[in-house]
Amino acid sequence: MQNFVKTIDGSNTLYSSKYQQHYHNVDDGAINEALTKHILPTFDYHKEKKELKILDICFGLGYNTFTTIYHIKKYNLDKKVFIYSPELDAQLVKSLETFEFPKEFEEFKHIIKDVALKGIYEDDDMRIEVNIGDAREYIKTLEKSSFDIIYQDAFSSEVNIELWTKEYFDDIYALCKDDCVMSSYSVATPIRLSMNEAGFFIYEYRPVKRKITLATKTKKDVMGKFIDMDLKRERNKDAKAIYDS
């Protein structure tokens, strides 16, 4: 039996006993969090593109992926999306067939069911592929320089450090097209240093009340506030990136 946790926007999330964290910030709301921290800023960045290849780290309850579909359908956006996502917990993905998702997802319950039962959904406008297994291994199998957007949404570095290290971001960087953008809820200096040492340019963006990090492969002048990481290092000699041990 699933013990749903109601978030502020009315959508349900769960608590992970393995990582001892909620899958979403209860005070932000699961849909709201997916929209403001990932979808709206990255889609605005790529507003001219008709096709988007997205890496959703990690799938979890699927809110980032399913809210992406909801956003496209709600605003009738002329976009095709190809979403690839690793997830360690096979049972969690299977359980999404009966998960109490919000009414916003009602019109594409068939998509959720296919993803839950088969790990894949495809039609003329989208492809969703969930890979059960280790995210670090999975990203090594993906096509280099092919992604437009990365949703960097793993559990926090306190409990899931392997998905926040410099070496991990090296592999992510290799997957990015030149105009790729990565979104993350984390604004911690060590994580930004890990991203930066892998080659990313770092920006701070405040979509609503909470700041987020946006990272790009090439320097842009149009996204939030540019964070000079060299200056950060100079001013804070104790600040260090996170490395694989």
Side-chain angles (χ1 to χ4, degrees):
M1 178 171 171
Q2 294 173 321
N3 295 312
F4 299 120
V5 180
K6 188 74 75 180
T7 71
I8 201 166
D9 66 6
S11 51
N12 290 321
T13 191
L14 292 176
Y15 183 80
S16 169
S17 53
K18 176 178 169 68
Y19 292 107
Q20 299 194 320
Q21 290 180 355
H22 289 101
Y23 280 87
H24 302 90
N25 189 316
V26 175
D27 295 330
D28 288 338
I31 287 184
N32 188 51
E33 192 168 47
L35 279 171
T36 59
K37 296 179 182 178
H38 298 288
I39 296 150
L40 294 178
T42 59
F43 270 57
D44 186 52
Y45 178 83
H46 281 312
K47 55 180 171 281
E48 306 303 327
K49 281 199 176 185
K50 302 292 189 191
E51 289 192 6
L52 293 171
K53 188 175 177 185
I54 301 168
L55 179 59
D56 181 7
I57 303 277
C58 294
F59 192 73
L61 301 177
Y63 270 100
N64 290 338
T65 290
F66 299 142
T67 307
T68 298
I69 299 165
Y70 164 68
H71 179 67
I72 290 168
K73 288 182 178 296
K74 181 180 179 182
Y75 294 103
N76 202 24
L77 301 181
D78 182 21
K79 288 189 191 295
K80 289 188 174 183
V81 287
F82 306 87
I83 305 176
Y84 298 82
S85 186
E87 174 53 49
L88 208 51
D89 190 342
Q91 284 307 118
L92 178 67
V93 176
K94 283 196 176 106
S95 77
L96 300 183
E97 185 191 5
T98 56
F99 188 83
E100 287 185 27
F101 282 111
K103 64 182 185 307
E104 286 88 343
F105 295 177
E106 195 65 34
E107 73 167 291
F108 52 85
K109 279 175 77 172
H110 63 289
I111 296 176
I112 295 171
K113 184 175 180 179
D114 272 10
V115 171
L117 298 182
K118 300 187 243 176
I120 197 161
Y121 175 82
E122 189 166 20
D123 63 26
D124 291 342
D125 297 316
M126 73 183 78
R127 179 180 175 85
I128 301 164
E129 196 175 293
V130 178
N131 182 273
I132 303 300
D134 184 282
R136 289 286 296 259
E137 295 306 313
Y138 174 65
I139 61 176
K140 288 181 171 70
T141 70
L142 297 170
E143 185 185 350
K144 303 286 191 286
S145 304
S146 70
F147 283 87
D148 302 287
I149 291 171
I150 315 286
Y151 298 151
Q152 173 59 26
D153 198 25
F155 283 107
S156 75
S157 58
E158 287 82 12
V159 296
N160 201 187
I161 195 167
E162 63 271 21
L163 296 185
W164 299 97
T165 67
K166 187 264 183 189
E167 292 85 353
Y168 163 77
F169 286 118
D170 282 337
D171 290 339
I172 292 291
Y173 186 87
L175 298 177
C176 295
K177 293 180 182 175
D178 285 343
D179 61 352
C180 182
V181 59
M182 175 168 64
S183 55
S184 176
Y185 64 84
S186 178
V187 295
T189 296
I191 285 165
R192 286 178 168 178
L193 286 169
S194 298
M195 293 174 177
N196 181 242
E197 287 187 19
F200 286 102
F201 293 95
I202 307 301
Y203 299 82
E204 190 161 276
Y205 185 72
R206 193 194 288 267
V208 278
K209 60 182 177 179
R210 297 181 202 276
K211 297 172 186 171
I212 63 165
T213 295
L214 295 173
T216 59
K217 199 169 182 175
T218 50
K219 193 172 180 183
K220 304 286 180 185
D221 296 323
V222 294
M223 298 176 53
K225 173 187 168 193
F226 174 69
I227 305 296
D228 187 334
M229 298 309 292
D230 289 332
L231 190 59
K232 281 262 187 200
R233 289 181 187 90
E234 202 177 293
R235 289 178 173 172
N236 187 356
K237 304 289 187 193
D238 295 328
K240 296 281 187 289
I242 303 167
Y243 293 93
D244 289 347
S245 54

